[in-house]
Amino acid sequence: MVVLDVLVSHGRSALGVRPVIVFLDVLMPGVGGVDACRVLRSDSEFDLLPVVLLTTMDFEQGRTTLLASGASDFLQKPLSRETIIWTIDRIDPRR
């Protein structure tokens, strides 16, 4: 299984990619993950795309804010490989 097809270091770079699932860091430089998620959700071509936000916020702190952006889910950093794979298996529409 390929976990990451495309890795971008700047939020604007992610906006030109056509993925099946997206992981966005909340604190990306330029356009952060929350704003990038909102942009994706405002485009009818991507409104059903699974988007997972990565954050250092704890569950209670991040839940309302991050899910209000349209994210499918969020994960607290640091992440394990197993957590990423479990998340992909759970929300990837191709599985």
Side-chain angles (χ1 to χ4, degrees):
M1 169 182 20
V2 176
V3 173
L4 296 174
D5 289 330
V6 177
L7 179 64
V8 296
S9 61
H10 192 284
R12 275 195 213 290
S13 303
L15 298 177
V17 177
R18 297 202 179 274
V20 174
I21 186 172
V22 175
F23 288 84
L24 297 170
D25 193 312
V26 169
L27 298 177
M28 290 187 299
V31 177
V34 171
D35 291 333
C37 183
R38 287 187 179 125
V39 169
L40 288 169
R41 290 296 182 240
S42 70
D43 185 331
S44 62
E45 188 173 344
F46 298 110
D47 60 350
L48 298 177
L49 176 69
V51 177
V52 179
L53 294 175
L54 310 177
T55 184
T56 56
M57 291 182 205
D58 64 32
F59 183 79
E60 292 304 317
Q61 180 185 15
R63 180 177 174 79
T64 303
T65 303
L66 300 178
L67 296 180
S69 72
S72 307
D73 202 352
F74 70 94
L75 298 174
Q76 188 176 3
K77 297 188 292 183
L79 302 169
S80 68
R81 182 174 190 259
E82 292 77 21
T83 299
I84 294 169
I85 292 170
W86 177 82
T87 302
I88 291 169
D89 287 342
R90 186 173 51 82
I91 67 175
D92 184 345
R94 299 175 301 168
R95 297 180 174 274

